[in-house]
Amino acid sequence: MLLDQQYLFAPGPTPIPDRVKAAMNQPMIAHRSQEFPTLLEDVATRLMPVFGSENPVTVLAGSGTSALEAAAANVIEENDEIVVVVAGAFGDRFASICETFGANVHRLNIEWGAACKPEQLEEFLQSIPKEIKAVFATYCETSTGVLNPIKDLGEVVKKVTNALYIVDGVSCIGAVPVDMKGWNIDILVSGSQKALMLPPGLAFVAMNDTAREVIRNCKAKRFYLDLNRYLASYETDKSTPFTPAVSLIYGAQEVCRMLEEEGFENVIKRHLLLKEMVREGLKAIEIPLLTSDEDASPTVTAVRTIDEPSKQIKKLLKDKFAITVGGGQKKLKGEIFRIGHMGYCTPFDVIKVLGSIEMTLKFLEGKDVLGIAVKRAEEVWMEHV
Ligand SMILES: Cc1ncc(COP(=O)(O)O)c(C=O)c1O
């Protein structure tokens, strides 16, 4: 095998397009130079349709968790009542962050592998007799491959409470539709290394005017992640309060160009096709999936590993075919593996990963599945060409 041919199907980080790598190689510029404000403004505004935001998107240097933390640190004051939808490891992380900032966190626990239904959230919110400051939810719960119905949940939040609605879109923004105003989202956060086709290191926070007002008045202590500093620096100088990750921002500019060239509607359709190909292919070889078609994310698919040989799929995919997939997290460790199909991913890539899974199953279990998943995925693809 050519050792430099490695195939990344983890649900983040994801492959980087060559032209994005080239863009990141541009000569360094000083962030207090004349050039930087033009670059930052270009990226912050071109990301607006991708985030469904009416305001420019704030860019932080940090991983996705820094954006989650920023959302919590700038809104939560000691003993605020906060609701978090916990449908997997990342909802759980959001809840832990809120607890760290002194909130009274009410966790709405959803079975891992299922999406939160609006009725579940409505009933839960109605059962809390106190004023709720914010409701946090995860758009794509990466640990289970579930896409929560963020629009419908937002309707419930605004019907039942006066709370802010804060959404973690780390593993799907750039691949799915979103409309902050229409869906009642006040803060939407994301990271660079998933559907946005960049290396890890940038975090994004989109805030509406209501959220900005709450953040302005929030008395909680914070420094590096104080969003007021970022908003003020952008407002006055189109800059950032601290040294930005300039090269990654150049990369983000190229990503915006790519999304515009393909057309964001087509990007969304491509991800729906990738999801259908993966799911239909795996169903054809009778591999159990963790989520229903209805709840499944277009960016990541969780596959059950039910018997001893199947638990070795992840290792064999890597050893024999240089394919990296994700494992299970927390209570799903050893129970599933996860295929990321987001960002710089095409139907041909899906054929590659499905073919490798077929061969791996043949190795492990002697199952005669060669060509079956691939054939089914090709049939799905042909319906769309
Ligand atoms: C939904 C979700 N939220 C938050 C994070 C955390 O992002 P990071 O690992 O970049 O800090 C991830 C990372 O996988 C994620 O998938």
Side-chain angles (χ1 to χ4, degrees), residues 353-367:
V353 76
L354 289 177
S356 308
I357 290 173
E358 288 170 352
M359 291 186 280
T360 301
L361 289 177
K362 177 92 176 155
F363 269 120
L364 283 171
E365 306 177 24
K367 273 191 183 167

Side-chain angles (χ1 to χ4, degrees), residues 190-207:
S190 197
S192 51
Q193 77 277 20
K194 311 253 179 186
L196 290 172
M197 306 184 279
L198 287 160
L202 287 186
F204 304 98
V205 187
M207 295 159 263

Side-chain angles (χ1 to χ4, degrees), residues 4 19 30 36 66 68 112 120 122 136 139 151 179 213 218 228 242 274 277-278 288 312 325 336 369 375-376:
D4 67 332
R19 53 189 278 196
F36 183 71
S66 70
L68 265 60
W112 287 31
Q120 288 175 299
E122 181 158 356
F136 289 73
Y139 196 171
K151 176 175 187 249
D179 170 4
E213 180 72 18
C218 176
N228 290 318
F242 312 109
L274 299 176
M277 286 176 67
V278 171
Q312 296 165 33
V325 294
I336 59 168
V369 291
K375 178 170 185 284
R376 181 68 197 112

Side-chain angles (χ1 to χ4, degrees), residues 9-67:
F9 289 92
T14 61
I16 316 293
D18 284 344
R19 53 189 278 196
V20 173
K21 287 183 201 156
M24 292 188 298
N25 257 340
Q26 290 174 77
M28 185 51 57
I29 53 170
H31 60 290
R32 304 294 174 221
S33 64
Q34 287 170 346
E35 298 101 315
F36 183 71
T38 313
L39 170 65
L40 184 65
E41 188 178 20
D42 192 44
V43 170
T45 51
R46 282 167 101 169
L47 283 175
M48 286 164 61
V50 179
F51 281 74
S53 171
E54 294 193 318
N55 288 327
V57 175
T58 298
V59 182
L60 313 177
S63 81
T65 306
S66 70

Side-chain angles (χ1 to χ4, degrees), residues 19-186:
R19 53 189 278 196
V20 173
K21 287 183 201 156
M24 292 188 298
N25 257 340
Q26 290 174 77
M28 185 51 57
I29 53 170
H31 60 290
R32 304 294 174 221
S33 64
Q34 287 170 346
E35 298 101 315
F36 183 71
T38 313
L39 170 65
L40 184 65
E41 188 178 20
D42 192 44
V43 170
T45 51
R46 282 167 101 169
L47 283 175
M48 286 164 61
V50 179
F51 281 74
S53 171
E54 294 193 318
N55 288 327
V57 175
T58 298
V59 182
L60 313 177
S63 81
T65 306
S66 70
L68 265 60
E69 178 154 340
N74 285 272
V75 166
I76 297 173
E77 292 172 10
E78 196 79 14
N79 291 322
D80 278 343
E81 307 295 330
I82 300 290
V83 167
V84 185
V85 176
V86 180
F90 292 102
D92 188 55
R93 181 176 301 179
F94 229 160
S96 302
I97 293 171
C98 294
E99 276 158 4
T100 304
F101 288 96
N104 296 326
V105 175
H106 306 264
R107 288 168 185 248
L108 168 54
N109 286 310
I110 306 294
E111 181 198 348
W112 287 31
C116 176
K117 294 191 179 64
E119 312 83 79
Q120 288 175 299
L121 181 61
E122 181 158 356
E123 197 183 315
F124 190 72
L125 292 176
Q126 273 162 347
S127 74
I128 300 169
K130 297 174 182 161
E131 182 73 18
I132 298 163
K133 176 84 164 277
V135 176
F136 289 73
T138 315
Y139 196 171
C140 170
E141 179 44 80
T142 330
S143 63
T144 60
V146 157
L147 197 75
N148 279 305
I150 287 302
K151 176 175 187 249
D152 300 344
L153 298 181
E155 236 167 68
V156 169
V157 171
K158 298 299 168 176
K159 185 174 116 188
V160 183
T161 73
N162 293 317
L164 286 182
Y165 183 38
I166 302 178
V167 174
D168 170 354
V170 169
S171 60
C172 61
I173 291 303
V176 292
V178 63
D179 170 4
M180 287 182 66
K181 184 162 184 221
W183 297 9
N184 297 302
I185 302 171
D186 298 295

